[in-house]
């Protein structure tokens, strides 16, 4: 889809010693500024003797990884300039925040972004003070850091983010520095395989650099303690050509290090340029992209020893090696020696600016990695071209008058979204796109796959070297790719089984925090929302059993800031279409959409659906028995496709069996509507809330997930605790769909019992009806246990006259198959 | 610690063709029974022609991986018998549930466990019907499956579980079958590195088998589509010696397959025996343990094609290949042909039992993998020898009269727990054991490490080839190891940063589900609880910033069944000791303990602590101002170490500034006490609850985590919504500890403001006090922003007379360092 562009390949030449000296000066400047950020409150360029008062009272930060990061930054800059590359820098060891801040300051980007930090002595002082300081900036690489799309908090996603950034950016190079601590995490360990999903022509390139500095907080790292031959095999096994650099040990001369590393980096970039120059379309084997193993001492250039204990090249340099710099003369002297070892007087002008001949090492304008436009994704974001979802609407002659797999219809719309947006929209998921019924997208695209194709596998299901669908059996990988893709200004969605989206709970946390923070950073422009489509949900995993039944992701999500998160539970096909159109247009949110993939009745035609979704909540007068304006005796609330069916079935039973009871049915699409307007921008006022749910009548609420969430959301409104919520109470197994509902008391019969129990006037008079409901449940269970499927009356129940069904055969066929294919 | 025992090494001899024929018969029987489980309701041994009524109405299950699993099972059985091995079988591709059920049935274990499924024709019919049927058994390998410790739901943990099972079981062999779909997950990708953490002498052995059947739900797998040379490099890079078996393609004769595979398995087991026979104690390189790449067709022995589409060796055989067997004559015939292809008449006696000469292939008694005693861990569980925690108590002359890092004291007790239990207790954590202040354990043990030791690294921090502490920078790995360790009858705990424990949210879900299900399986004996120590918590991650601040794991946990989960927030050192002693004695729970690692005041002496923890909740009369039996004007509730400090500080301010106000302080250790007794076994009755919190006075509750959880837990009691909860409202950054509290309105000053706002009688009269509190906050923030640390008065505040401090120097020094080392 994306047109391949030619890879920039400016002339490169071996580094000269003079160049190495300049580059070394740049590196020293970056290291000096890094150490200064960690330790100094004042006297930033050491123009007077260092005293205790110049040292920060609380020393917070991480030195260990920083000098390696700045070394690489300097070398990448040389390469960018020589070759004219478009590059970004992914800092896996995000602890090295000071290094990246220093680099962007040396390049001028920091001052352009934050004019209160100018290239002056004062500016350096402010740069130092703000670091890891109240009211200042975080100690890690963070949204505040220009050029960053990767928070240095939780580890494991450097490569996934890097690949996400270069998909559909054919001329972009991502230098992805992977820490050897991070390399032990599961997500990172599998993310090396991303190279089987990248297209040589239409995507950019990731150059992974494994930063092997040997130690974590208190331990050596695994990859630093296996023989180099084994590590090489591992990298070749991951599909890379490893290039090894070991430098900085045994007092190796820094200039010599620079000359050697520049040669290795040139070799890697030449390999990349060669791969990129191969003619398209020929039947080429997957290239073994280069990667660099960069083995240097942890805390390189820092104190060799402190109090007689080895510090450089040791875990002791992980955080703040001289924690007592303010307290002991000896450590204060150590700090001064350390700082002066960088010879700041050679690096900065009298005014405190980096000397021009050193500054000239960096590229200019948007070629600076810290100013790469795609790292402020919102600034390059283009709106999606969205086909009118109304054109994909299903016909609903009357409520319940047709049947659809709602995600399948969504798939037909997504097919045309893919078609209309060939280079900035992708669908991610762990091998479940078709299982979740989005297979129509394969009419216009494929799953991108660059691993082997077997001669016998002409039947491989929609695999191609280029495609809009990304599937690998790792939720971590899919989420990481998508995050990288969104943060660089594109759009996408992730589809997953509902239960297993918990695998990325922590990744969601980090992304939500990123969005929250960027909402308050003026220069960060809004990016496209992260959209989850959770299908194969708890009520339709009866065949996979208890391990696959978990609706708790919503609970996890709502702990994050209201300004960030949105949760939708469209009850049928047309509402799903309307909801997803809304989500794909939105910015800076995490949208969670839960929708079943099984054949279910439709309730609303497209105009009704749009209205209902716009309000997010609505009284379904046609389903209730109150006259207009009446005060109902009971409210049946519902949120979720399956609970909606059960509520409508219960309402039908009540209409027939208790004709004098005034029942109101309220359906909730936008879960955040249940909150108070003071707690969520979508929340209702007290009056609005009571208009839906009354202030005093019993509300029987059938909810898709854990019941407590409804109490939590409605807490401020439900002052009299008149809400009675049914949902998933962690009772599941392999059984029939209706038995799943019965095990959790969410079935229609139990809802009727709840009404009888909660409406005082009914209790005595309708004891028989209540018993009848109990019997119905007994019969339904017995039937299921005997026949292995649900009672026909339960399976076939639809709203209204069953004879009116749009297509009985369709329902029956769909129900017959038992549903799932996973 | 563990005494190495000699590895069993019975004589093995090459397989003869006759043996292969018998083994093939066993395999056919297992496959026949697997297919039968998926499809048949009746006519189990095909003793009459197959009709539609014999076929289940809903066909649920997964065929694709099953024949590979049964093939391996048969071969493992031969090896166990020949060599006298003690082995268990970890089924990574848990979808293949029918295969494992079939194997245990053929071995007799199934009938011993479930006497209603005898080895008769009737028994076979019941075996078939119950599978994936309402009231029956799950479709995956599950707790119900004899010999399983690994649920076949979420993928990724097969190797971690296997290693967990063989730690400290030096003669155990775990055959760990890894699916090639599962192999794409992050956790699995890093779990190969477990071999750097296993001790050759004192631990058992894992033999990984990568089951490369080529396809997932709808896609080929990555590892099946890279060149064999690359896959070999990957496995060697992971530290293994790969042995390759490819079989079953192009109609290869099954007997030939068996003969070839038996040779390869013998080679692997000979290598293991050789490694295990090496003399101890010599300075040996880490062995390159064997692993087997087992490439066979997906759905092997199933239909080659269905409706003209390739099915065997295709993703189409993933689930139920003949979904219409009940609906079309052709598919019914296909099913009958498939079943008869196993020649059941050669396999079963007239009575329906497996023929004795075939049954003889399996080992006997506890040598059967399905009857391995350690797979029912509770049955082999020994109580821990626990030193009396009272002996480790800290002196608390009066509340606030001493200062400790509570986890550090816990560490001194854990040291002696380790010492007293040298072979059945381990501590797991991602490189944070010392950071979380448990370093005293290193006085008696080390971190187990079998990767390289460098000559220059004499200073490696407590690494040794054998040790009780397991650290790898992967929460997944640590959790998986611990689960495997617990499920095979041992004890342990996992320590982690609070924020990043979300990484294992989904693993926790699966373990909690396992526990819930096993509670209702009589033959499964209770196992030791899974204990989490969450330190470096939200209120003391001010230096690492927002990405490290997340207290939501508790919220995630409480969605699971009340019978399984326990949450403790000990407010100080002695309560932490008492709590952990309780946790290490408990069974079948997940215990979450949140405790800070920074120096904090102690409130209770050990006797008070024991009483307080026994009750789980208590009125701290000494901290309040109500006379005995009085009705307080306001209740200050607290849960968590930091909120407790703030509440006590607020109480002190109120005592001095509003002497007439009757304040009650209630501290909650056991969070589940806040629930209603009908919802949690630890819950309070309405009367008890009101005895603590009153029924009508305002309750200002300072809580460690997200405030909503307190509302949720107290929902049934707090009918008048008199609870006003402060907690973490997702406001964080890099700042000072007290500024973190202020950002979330959890600080002492704000709590006093809350009291003034909520106690009607105070409002007007104490406007000045309220304003003074506002000013205090302004000053505190300004001070922090200026000086980079908190106001001295805030930093040094302790309960009671500050001059009484046990050791001022200790506090100051601890506060000076800024705290964390990570």
């Amino acid at each position: 889809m994306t047109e391949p562009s030619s890879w920039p390949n400016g002339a490169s030449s071996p580094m000269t010693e003079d160049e190495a000296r300049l580059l070394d000066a740049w590196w020293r400047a970056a290291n000096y500024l890094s150490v200064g950020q960690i330790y100094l409150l004042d006297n930033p360029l050491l123009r007077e003797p260092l005293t205790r008062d110049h040292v920060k009272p609380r020393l917070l930060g991480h030195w260990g990884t920083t000098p390696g990061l700045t070394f690489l930054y300097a070398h990448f800059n040389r390469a960018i300039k020589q070759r004219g590359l478009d590059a970004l820098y992914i800092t896996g060891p995000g602890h090295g925040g000071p290094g990246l801040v220093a680099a962007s300051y040396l390049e001028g980007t920091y001052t352009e972004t934050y004019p209160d930090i100018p290239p002056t002595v004062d500016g350096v002082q402010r740069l130092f003070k703000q670091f890891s300081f109240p009211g200042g900036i975080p100690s890690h690489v963070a949204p505040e850091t220009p050029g960053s799309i990767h928070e240095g908090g939780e580890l494991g996603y450097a490569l996934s983010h890097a690949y996400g950034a270069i998909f559909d950016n054919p001329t972009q190079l991502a230098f992805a520095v992977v820490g050897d601590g991070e390399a032990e995490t599961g997500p990172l360990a599998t993310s090396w395989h991303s190279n089987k999903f990248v297209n040589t022509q239409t995507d950019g390139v990731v150059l992974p650099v494994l930063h092997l500095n040997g130690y974590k907080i208190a331990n050596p790292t695994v990859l630093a303690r296996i023989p180099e031959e084994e590590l090489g095999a591992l990298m070749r096994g991951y599909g890379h050509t490893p290039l090894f650099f070991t430098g900085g040990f045994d007092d190796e001369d820094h200039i010599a290090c620079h000359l050697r590393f520049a040669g290795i980096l040139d070799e890697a970039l030449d390999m990349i340029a060669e791969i990129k120059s191969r003619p398209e379309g020929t039947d080429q084997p997957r290239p073994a992209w280069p990667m660099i193993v960069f083995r240097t001492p942890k805390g390189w250039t820092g104190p060799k020893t402190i109090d007689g204990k080895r510090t450089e090249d040791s875990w002791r340099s992980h955080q703040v090696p001289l924690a007592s710099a303010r307290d002991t003369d000896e450590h204060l002297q150590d700090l001064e020696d350390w700082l002066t070892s960088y010879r700041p007087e050679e690096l900065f002008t009298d005014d405190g600016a980096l000397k021009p001949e050193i500054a000239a090492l960096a590229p200019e304008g948007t070629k600076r990695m810290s100013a790469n436009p795609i790292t402020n994704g919102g600034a390059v974001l283009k709106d999606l071209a969205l086909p009118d979802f109304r054109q994909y609407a299903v016909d609903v002659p009357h409520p319940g008058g047709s049947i659809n797999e709602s995600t399948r219809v969504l798939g037909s719309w997504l097919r045309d979204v893919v078609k209309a947006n060939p280079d900035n929209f992708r669908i991610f998921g762990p091998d479940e796109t078709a299982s979740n019924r989005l297979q129509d997208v394969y009419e216009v695209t494929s799953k991108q796959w660059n691993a082997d194709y077997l001669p016998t596998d002409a039947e491989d299901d929609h695999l191609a070297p280029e495609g809009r669908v990304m599937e690998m059996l790792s939720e971590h990988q899919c989420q990481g790719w998508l995050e990288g893709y969104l943060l660089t200004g594109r759009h996408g969605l992730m589809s997953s089984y509902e239960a297993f989206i918990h695998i990325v709970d922590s990744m969601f946390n980090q992304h939500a925090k990123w969005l929250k923070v960027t909402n308050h950073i003026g220069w960060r422009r809004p990016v496209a929302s992260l959209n989850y489509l959770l299908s194969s949900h708890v009520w339709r995993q009866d065949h996979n059993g208890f391990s696959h039944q978990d609706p708790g992701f919503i609970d996890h999500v709502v702990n994050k800031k209201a300004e960030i998160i949105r949760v939708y539970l469209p009850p049928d096909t047309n509402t799903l279409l309307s909801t997803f159109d809304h989500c794909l247009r939105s910015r800076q949110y995490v949208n969670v959409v839960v929708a079943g993939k099984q054949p279910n009745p439709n309730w609303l035609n497209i105009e009704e659906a749009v209205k209902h979704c716009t309000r997010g909540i609505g009284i379904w007068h046609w389903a209730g028995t109150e006259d207009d304006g009446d005060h109902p005796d009971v409210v049946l609330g519902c949120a979720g496709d399956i609970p909606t069916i059960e509520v409508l079935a219960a309402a039908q039973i009540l209409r027939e069996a208790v004709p004098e009871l005034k029942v109101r049915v309220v359906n909730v699409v936008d879960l955040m509507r249940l909150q108070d307007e003071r707690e969520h921008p979508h929340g209702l006022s007290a009056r609005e809330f009571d208009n839906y749910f009354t202030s005093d009548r019993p509300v029987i609420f059938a909810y898709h997930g854990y019941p407590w969430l409804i109490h939590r959301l409605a807490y401020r409104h439900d002052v009299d605790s008149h809400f009675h919520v049914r949902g998933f109470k962690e009772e599941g197994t392999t059984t029939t769909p209706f038995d799943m509902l019965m095990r959790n008391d969410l079935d229609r019969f139990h809802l009727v019992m709840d009404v009888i129990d909660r409406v005082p006037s009914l209790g005595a008079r309708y004891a028989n009806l209540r018993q009848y409901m109990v019997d119905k449940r007994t019969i339904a269970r017995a039937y299921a246990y005997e026949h292995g499927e649900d009672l026909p009356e339960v399976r076939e129940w639809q709203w209204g006259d069953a004879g009116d069904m749009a297509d009985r055969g369709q329902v029956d066929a769909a129900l017959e198959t038992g549903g799932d294919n996973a």
Side-chain angles (χ1 to χ4, degrees), chain A:
Chain A
M1 299 293 177
T2 312
E3 279 304 304
S5 315
S6 78
W7 187 253
N9 197 10
S12 84
S13 59
M15 187 189 252
T16 65
E17 265 202 49
D18 281 349
E19 283 173 330
R21 272 179 223 294
L22 267 183
L23 188 144
D24 188 65
W26 199 96
W27 184 40
R28 282 186 282 129
N31 288 340
Y32 180 86
L33 294 179
S34 300
V35 180
Q37 287 176 76
I38 297 174
Y39 292 91
L40 296 188
L41 201 53
D42 210 341
N43 188 15
L45 292 178
L46 288 190
R47 296 198 172 160
E48 49 184 306
L50 194 66
T51 70
R52 293 182 184 199
D53 288 345
H54 297 147
V55 178
K56 294 185 180 185
R58 295 173 81 221
L59 298 174
L60 309 176
H62 294 80
W63 164 248
T65 187
T66 301
L69 294 175
T70 50
F71 183 99
L72 292 168
Y73 204 105
H75 280 268
F76 297 159
N77 268 352
R78 170 182 173 268
I80 290 166
K81 222 170 154 183
Q82 279 210 343
R83 295 168 188 257
L85 297 167
D86 288 317
L88 69 158
Y89 190 113
I90 302 282
T91 316
H95 272 353
L100 277 289
V101 169
S104 69
Y105 180 71
L106 292 176
E107 294 185 323
T109 318
Y110 208 85
T111 301
E112 292 161 26
T113 312
Y114 302 105
D116 58 321
I117 312 278
T120 63
V121 178
D122 249 24
V124 176
Q125 188 270 331
R126 281 186 221 154
L127 182 79
F128 287 1
K129 182 181 171 183
Q130 68 166 6
F131 175 79
S132 221
F133 204 83
I137 63 167
S139 64
H140 301 169
V141 179
E144 288 86 346
T145 316
S148 168
I149 61 162
H150 179 81
E151 169 92 35
E154 191 172 304
L155 301 174
Y157 318 117
L159 286 179
S160 300
H161 284 168
Y163 278 95
I166 59 88
F167 288 138
D168 298 323
N169 275 328
T171 62
Q172 283 285 344
L173 174 65
F175 292 109
V177 186
V178 175
D180 50 353
E182 169 175 31
E184 294 178 16
T185 67
L188 200 289
T190 204
S191 66
W192 295 101
H193 291 298
S194 295
N195 55 22
K196 284 108 201 166
F197 296 87
V198 72
N199 182 285
T200 311
Q201 299 292 326
T202 54
D203 298 323
V205 177
V206 173
L207 176 59
V209 179
L210 179 62
H211 185 7
L212 215 61
N213 70 23
Y215 299 91
K216 297 171 290 199
I217 300 179
N219 282 306
T221 59
V222 170
L223 296 189
R225 295 296 183 92
I226 60 176
E228 194 155 289
E229 189 189 333
E230 204 167 297
L231 181 58
L234 185 63
M235 290 300 136
R236 282 191 300 280
Y238 276 135
H240 278 292
T241 302
L243 305 173
F244 286 87
F245 173 80
T246 300
F249 296 94
D250 305 320
D251 293 318
E252 186 184 6
D253 175 62
H254 292 172
I255 303 302
C257 285
H258 291 308
L259 290 168
R260 283 199 301 119
F261 184 77
I264 284 172
L265 181 60
D266 278 341
E267 187 182 345
L269 293 171
D270 287 347
M271 287 171 68
I272 289 170
E274 186 278 317
I275 293 168
K276 277 298 229 178
S277 72
R278 292 178 192 169
E280 324 170 42
T282 51
D283 196 23
Q284 297 178 3
R286 168 172 49 89
W289 295 99
M291 64 77 59
I292 296 174
V293 177
F294 179 70
R295 193 191 294 263
T296 56
K298 186 152 186 164
W300 193 10
T301 75
K304 298 269 178 218
T305 60
I306 295 176
D307 301 334
K309 290 182 177 162
R310 199 176 79 195
T311 303
E312 191 195 59
D313 193 24
S314 153
W315 50 270
R316 292 196 189 86
S317 64
H318 179 73
Q319 200 175 9
V320 178
L322 286 166
S324 309
R326 199 183 161 101
D327 304 316
T328 79
D329 289 337
E330 195 190 336
H331 283 189
L332 186 70
Q333 188 61 51
D334 286 347
L335 177 60
E336 189 166 22
D337 293 348
W338 179 9
L339 283 160
T340 53
S341 75
Y342 298 117
R343 309 194 296 281
E345 68 284 359
E346 297 178 12
L347 308 173
F348 298 96
T349 67
D350 287 349
D351 294 339
L354 185 65
K355 289 193 175 168
E357 65 274 22
I358 305 171
L361 178 86
E364 286 167 18
T366 56
K367 291 284 183 185
R368 294 172 297 180
M369 291 187 286
S370 58
N372 186 326
I374 69 168
T375 63
N376 183 8
V380 299
L381 180 67
K382 290 179 296 184
D383 287 346
L384 283 176
L386 289 179
D388 181 4
F389 66 92
R390 291 173 184 78
Q391 305 300 317
Y392 303 78
V394 296
D395 190 34
V396 187
H398 60 85
S402 61
I403 301 274
N404 284 92
E405 298 162 319
S406 63
T407 55
R408 178 145 197 165
V409 177
L410 179 69
S412 70
W413 179 68
L414 287 174
R415 173 196 61 214
D416 294 342
V417 175
V418 163
K419 209 168 160 186
N421 301 277
D423 61 2
N424 65 341
F425 177 73
R426 288 191 186 234
I427 297 171
F428 299 80
D431 194 24
E432 293 162 6
T433 306
S435 169
N436 286 330
R437 304 283 190 274
L438 304 179
Q439 63 266 48
D440 281 2
V441 299
Y442 297 136
E443 293 172 17
V444 299
T445 191
S446 299
K447 289 172 280 194
Q448 186 159 310
W449 176 265
N450 200 16
D452 292 356
Y453 293 81
L454 302 185
T456 52
D457 276 304
E459 292 184 50
D460 272 344
D461 193 32
H462 301 291
L463 297 185
E466 202 285 327
R468 302 284 95 200
V469 179
M470 307 297 297
E471 292 204 339
M472 179 169 161
L473 209 167
S474 165
E475 284 80 0
H476 294 112
Q477 180 84 293
C478 294
Q479 167 98 11
W481 283 342
L482 174 56
E483 289 176 357
Y485 198 66
L486 297 174
L487 291 174
T488 49
R490 281 78 65 78
H491 307 259
L493 70 93
M494 165 124 171
S495 96
S496 170
Y497 282 18
E498 184 184 40
F500 299 142
I501 197 68
H502 275 300
I503 290 170
V504 295
D505 272 4
S506 208
M507 297 182 78
F508 155 80
N509 277 353
Q510 297 299 326
H511 189 75
K513 284 173 185 282
W514 178 281
L515 293 178
K516 187 250 184 193
V517 172
T518 54
N519 270 348
H520 303 277
I521 299 177
W523 61 272
R524 285 269 179 200
R525 310 307 305 150
V527 297
S529 301
L530 196 167
N531 302 301
Y532 290 105
L533 173 64
L534 305 184
S535 196
S536 308
H537 63 53
V538 57
W539 302 112
R540 287 298 182 269
Q541 282 288 351
D542 40 278
H543 63 300
N544 269 321
F546 195 38
S547 66
H548 285 54
Q549 294 158 352
D550 194 298
F553 187 64
I554 298 173
D555 302 66
H556 179 67
V557 162
V558 298
N559 271 340
K560 289 289 167 282
K561 285 302 230 189
E563 66 196 72
I564 299 301
I565 56 104
R566 302 287 182 271
V567 180
Y568 300 99
L569 294 152
D572 69 356
T573 304
N574 288 333
T575 50
L576 177 62
L577 283 172
S578 175
T579 299
F580 236 91
D581 178 76
H582 175 76
C583 292
L584 287 189
R585 292 175 191 279
S586 71
R587 300 285 183 271
Q588 286 290 105
Y589 298 144
V590 175
N591 295 307
V592 179
V593 181
V594 184
K597 66 187 188 185
Q598 305 290 0
N600 273 331
N602 299 307
W603 312 111
L604 305 184
N605 67 34
I606 190 66
E607 292 313 321
E608 292 162 344
V610 171
K611 273 188 214 154
H612 187 50
C613 291
T614 303
R615 279 193 305 258
I617 182 172
I619 299 173
W620 283 5
H621 292 288
W622 48 268
T625 48
E626 58 171 347
D627 300 331
D628 263 8
D630 261 2
H631 202 62
D633 301 308
V634 65
V635 179
L636 296 179
C638 47
D641 49 9
I642 302 302
T644 299
I645 293 177
E646 293 307 305
V647 153
L648 293 175
Q652 189 184 40
I653 294 169
L654 288 168
R655 190 168 45 178
E656 289 166 9
V658 195
E660 77 276 22
L661 187 74
K662 288 177 189 158
V663 176
R664 174 183 293 176
V665 172
V666 176
N667 182 270
V668 180
V669 182
D670 173 355
L671 208 58
M672 296 301 107
R673 294 293 269 166
L674 292 177
Q675 281 204 293
D676 188 88
E677 59 184 348
R678 289 164 293 179
E679 307 208 324
H680 195 284
H682 290 191
L684 296 172
S685 69
R687 177 184 300 193
E688 288 170 327
F689 190 88
D690 289 350
N691 282 346
Y692 289 110
F693 292 107
T694 80
S695 62
D696 56 353
R697 299 307 159 100
V699 178
I700 312 296
F701 199 104
Y703 170 53
H704 171 83
Y706 294 106
W708 270 108
L709 186 63
I710 299 301
H711 289 299
R712 167 181 171 163
L713 294 173
Y715 175 78
R716 281 189 187 274
H717 292 305
D718 182 25
V719 286
D720 295 323
S721 305
H722 60 120
F723 267 59
H724 182 68
V725 186
R726 294 293 178 185
F728 184 64
K729 49 180 192 177
E730 199 68 17
E731 291 295 341
T733 185
T734 311
T735 186
T736 65
F738 196 72
D739 189 48
M740 272 299 296
L741 294 165
M742 287 197 291
R743 282 167 185 262
N744 292 281
D745 297 338
L746 185 66
D747 59 288
R748 59 200 64 174
F749 304 129
H750 208 287
L751 294 175
V752 170
M753 289 159 57
D754 286 337
V755 169
I756 296 170
D757 294 344
R758 294 270 156 171
V759 178
S761 59
L762 298 183
R765 287 154 54 217
Y766 285 93
N768 283 347
L769 175 61
R770 195 183 189 289
Q771 185 57 47
Y772 181 57
M773 293 293 105
V774 172
D775 295 344
K776 282 291 226 183
R777 284 163 57 86
T778 309
I779 292 164
R781 171 152 300 168
Y783 187 94
Y785 278 43
E786 176 64 26
H787 298 277
E789 61 182 350
D790 284 320
L791 273 176
E793 95 172 69
V794 165
R795 294 167 59 219
E796 293 176 11
W797 182 90
Q798 304 300 342
W799 179 256
D801 179 359
D804 274 354
M805 263 332 143
D807 181 354
R808 294 295 320 156
Q810 183 190 353
V811 193
D812 290 342
L815 290 166
E816 285 297 319
T817 62
D820 214 323
N821 63 353

